[in-house]
């Protein structure tokens, strides 16, 4: 069965048919999915009952897994439920129990409910993320996506000119402070040192421009903090207007793949007494977008 993609939203997001993510892909299939990603920025694959190793193998068709020396989370390896190469976005502790509402890891996860782009707080931000839904709560827990190309296109010419060369500082410190979680250790504060990212980026294949926004952005170089925060808040409000947003209602074994270079996303509420087991693999970007003058 050839690969086909059906649009799920007027401006982005497609649903893929004709792919079994557990089997190795041939070059034509890889090309079809990559060009689908370039066009749709988010692709949904239904009924993909993947083991972790199969998810990792599928992900590697599209590049190198993200690897880094600094932590993107506060859980140490020994405290983790899953093996290397796959990130645990569940509400479970390493023994498979629902984590305490007072767990620092839980506080940290709550920050993912703010609009963001994965790893924008790293010098080399992520390319694709792939989230596999294994156990889905009975209520809520959607993942929402916003098209940052459409958001950029909808800006007026004055706004486009104003943001053209702006550089933002991104850090987990900013996104966690935004929900009042400031209880970071000195080691975490050092590891989460802000990085520089351009506010406007250009897709390497399509040449389309997009807003590179995230809750991790907390400063604009050369601007006062209040002015920068207010401007970033306004831009985020613009970029997440309903016409640019797709809300994904999860079914078990959905695999959703998104391009962090062209979209933002956020998690939505669910009953924390129910299990939500979702697992993410992530592809790294190629290089820093701009020189890190720190
Ligand atoms: Fe995320």
């Amino acid at each position: 069965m050839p690969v086909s993609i059906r649009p799920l939203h007027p401006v982005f997001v497609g649903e893929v048919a004709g792919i079994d993510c557990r089997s190795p892909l041939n070059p034509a299939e890889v090309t079809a999915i990559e060009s689908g990603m370039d066009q749709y920025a988010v692709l949904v694959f239904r009924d993909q009952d993947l083991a972790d190793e199969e998810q990792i193998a599928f992900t590697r068709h599209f590049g190198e897994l993200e690897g880094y020396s600094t932590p993107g989370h506060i859980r140490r390896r020994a405290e983790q439920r899953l093996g290397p190469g796959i990130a645990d976005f569940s509400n479970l502790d390493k023994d498979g129990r629902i984590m305490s509402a007072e767990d620092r890891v839980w506080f940290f996860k709550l920050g993912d409910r703010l609009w963001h782009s994965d790893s924008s707080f790293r010098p080399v931000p992520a390319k694709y993320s792939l989230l596999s839904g294994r156990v889905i709560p009975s209520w809520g827990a959607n993942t929402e996506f916003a098209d940052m190309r459409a958001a950029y296109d909808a800006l007026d010419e004055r706004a486009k000119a104003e943001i053209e060369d702006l550089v933002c500082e991104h850090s987990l410190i900013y996104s966690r402070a935004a929900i009042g979680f400031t209880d970071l250790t000195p080691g975490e504060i050092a590891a989460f040192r802000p990085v520089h990212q351009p506010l406007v980026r250009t897709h390497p294949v399509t040449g389309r421009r997009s807003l590179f926004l995230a809750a991790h952005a907390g400063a604009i170089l050369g601007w006062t903090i209040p002015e920068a925060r207010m401007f970033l808040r306004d831009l985020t409000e613009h970029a997440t207007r309903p016409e640019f947003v797709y809300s994904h209602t999860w079914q078990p074994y959905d695999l959703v793949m998104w391009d962090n270079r062209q979209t933002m996303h956020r998690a939505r509420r669910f009953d924390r007494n129910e299990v939500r087991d979702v697992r993410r693999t992530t592809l790294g970007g190629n290089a820093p977008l701009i020189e890190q003058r720190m």
Side-chain angles (χ1 to χ4, degrees), residues 89 112 114 116-119 129 216 258 260 265-267 280:
F89 279 81
D112 289 335
L114 298 170
H116 67 282
S117 174
D118 290 333
S119 296
S129 297
H216 308 306
W258 63 89
N260 289 293
H265 61 280
R266 65 172 175 177
R280 196 184 87 193

Side-chain angles (χ1 to χ4, degrees), residues 107-235:
F107 294 157
F108 218 76
K109 285 173 177 296
L110 286 170
D112 289 335
R113 296 187 190 176
L114 298 170
W115 286 106
H116 67 282
S117 174
D118 290 333
S119 296
S120 77
F121 51 84
R122 300 184 191 284
V124 181
K127 182 187 174 195
Y128 299 164
S129 297
L130 294 87
L131 194 63
S132 165
R134 310 290 175 87
V135 180
I136 306 300
S138 61
W139 173 85
N142 278 21
T143 304
E144 293 182 347
F145 296 91
D147 188 336
M148 293 300 100
R149 306 163 301 180
Y152 176 85
D153 291 346
L155 292 171
D156 65 32
E157 293 310 312
R158 188 188 181 286
K160 284 179 184 165
E162 185 175 22
I163 65 174
E164 177 68 24
D165 298 315
L166 292 183
V167 174
C168 297
E169 274 187 20
H170 290 236
S171 169
L172 281 165
I173 297 170
Y174 297 136
S175 50
R176 272 51 195 171
I179 59 164
F181 178 36
T182 53
D183 179 24
L184 300 176
T185 65
E188 286 163 353
I189 290 168
F192 301 157
R193 219 169 63 140
V195 302
H196 290 175
Q197 304 292 4
L199 183 51
V200 179
R201 60 189 301 182
T202 305
H203 190 275
V205 177
T206 65
R208 281 193 74 180
R209 320 204 80 199
S210 59
L211 287 172
F212 193 30
L213 285 169
H216 308 306
I220 299 172
L221 297 190
W223 290 39
T224 65
I225 291 286
E227 194 111 31
R229 295 272 169 96
M230 203 54 246
F231 186 58
L232 290 169
R233 185 179 288 209
D234 274 350
L235 272 181

Side-chain angles (χ1 to χ4, degrees), residues 216-292:
H216 308 306
I220 299 172
L221 297 190
W223 290 39
T224 65
I225 291 286
E227 194 111 31
R229 295 272 169 96
M230 203 54 246
F231 186 58
L232 290 169
R233 185 179 288 209
D234 274 350
L235 272 181
T236 302
E237 207 171 289
H238 159 82
T240 56
R241 275 160 33 191
E243 61 265 41
F244 308 137
V245 172
Y246 164 77
S247 185
H248 185 72
T249 303
W250 287 90
Q251 296 169 10
Y253 311 122
D254 282 353
L255 179 72
V256 181
M257 179 171 181
W258 63 89
D259 188 343
N260 289 293
R261 303 168 303 180
Q262 315 195 73
T263 57
M264 278 204 293
H265 61 280
R266 65 172 175 177
R268 300 298 276 156
R269 281 190 83 217
F270 60 98
D271 181 344
R272 67 174 319 285
N273 298 307
E274 289 186 35
V275 173
R276 179 181 189 243
D277 187 352
V278 293
R279 305 182 186 193
R280 196 184 87 193
T281 41
T282 314
L283 291 175
N286 296 329
L289 305 181
I290 47 175
E291 193 191 336
Q292 302 294 315

Side-chain angles (χ1 to χ4, degrees), residues 8 13-17 42-46 246 248 254-257:
L8 294 180
V13 189
E15 182 178 324
V16 180
V42 181
L43 291 178
V44 175
F45 303 77
R46 303 279 190 188
Y246 164 77
H248 185 72
D254 282 353
L255 179 72
V256 181
M257 179 171 181

